[in-house]
Amino acid sequence: MSLYPDIKFNSNLIENEVCTITYSGTLFKNNSESVTIVYGYNDQWENTTHQEMQKTENGFTTDITILNYNNFNFCFKNSNNEWDNNNYQNYTSSISKQELEPAFIINENIID
């Protein structure tokens, strides 16, 4: 799945599931040795964190467990503190709710 030409997700972003993100944007094209993804949730960048990505022949990649929020916001920086932040707009993607199988509830009456 891809919302941006140089950023690929292995699937839709679904709450509480692991997603593999591959980044092949400007920092990769400019031969950065290392890239970190900086990410948070919703408009206020809640639970902001950063994670080192692994360099591959196709770009930098990492696995992230998507938390239970509405939106995933992210950007990238290299070891020279150069950023790819979508021209100061940051990257964002909506998060889908996890679809649960319908549950059956059995009501057992206890009779004396």
Side-chain angles (χ1 to χ4, degrees):
M1 178 186 169
S2 175
L3 295 174
Y4 304 99
D6 295 324
I7 301 167
K8 306 279 188 261
F9 302 139
N10 69 327
S11 65
N12 291 333
L13 297 181
I14 300 173
E15 67 182 5
N16 302 317
E17 291 193 11
V18 175
C19 180
T20 301
I21 300 171
T22 302
Y23 168 75
S24 59
T26 305
L27 301 176
F28 176 72
K29 292 173 184 170
N30 290 343
N31 296 315
S32 294
E33 289 299 314
S34 65
V35 166
T36 298
I37 184 171
V38 180
Y39 63 95
Y41 298 89
N42 292 339
D43 294 338
Q44 298 78 28
W45 280 71
E46 298 169 52
N47 257 332
T48 302
T49 192
H50 56 87
Q51 187 167 314
E52 187 80 21
M53 302 181 81
Q54 300 299 313
K55 191 171 188 176
T56 70
E57 64 184 28
N58 297 321
F60 289 91
T61 187
T62 194
D63 293 333
I64 294 176
T65 300
I66 303 300
L67 299 182
N68 184 12
Y69 288 93
N70 294 322
N71 294 307
F72 180 69
N73 302 304
F74 56 103
C75 54
F76 306 91
K77 71 173 184 170
N78 66 13
S79 57
N80 294 329
N81 208 31
E82 298 169 319
W83 290 78
D84 180 351
N85 56 13
N86 196 22
N87 294 316
Y88 300 100
Q89 296 177 13
N90 296 312
Y91 296 98
T92 189
S93 181
S94 61
I95 298 172
S96 298
K97 299 298 176 192
Q98 198 171 56
E99 292 185 29
L100 301 175
E101 295 287 326
F104 293 96
I105 299 173
I106 298 174
N107 184 4
E108 294 181 11
N109 294 320
I110 299 175
I111 300 173
D112 287 333

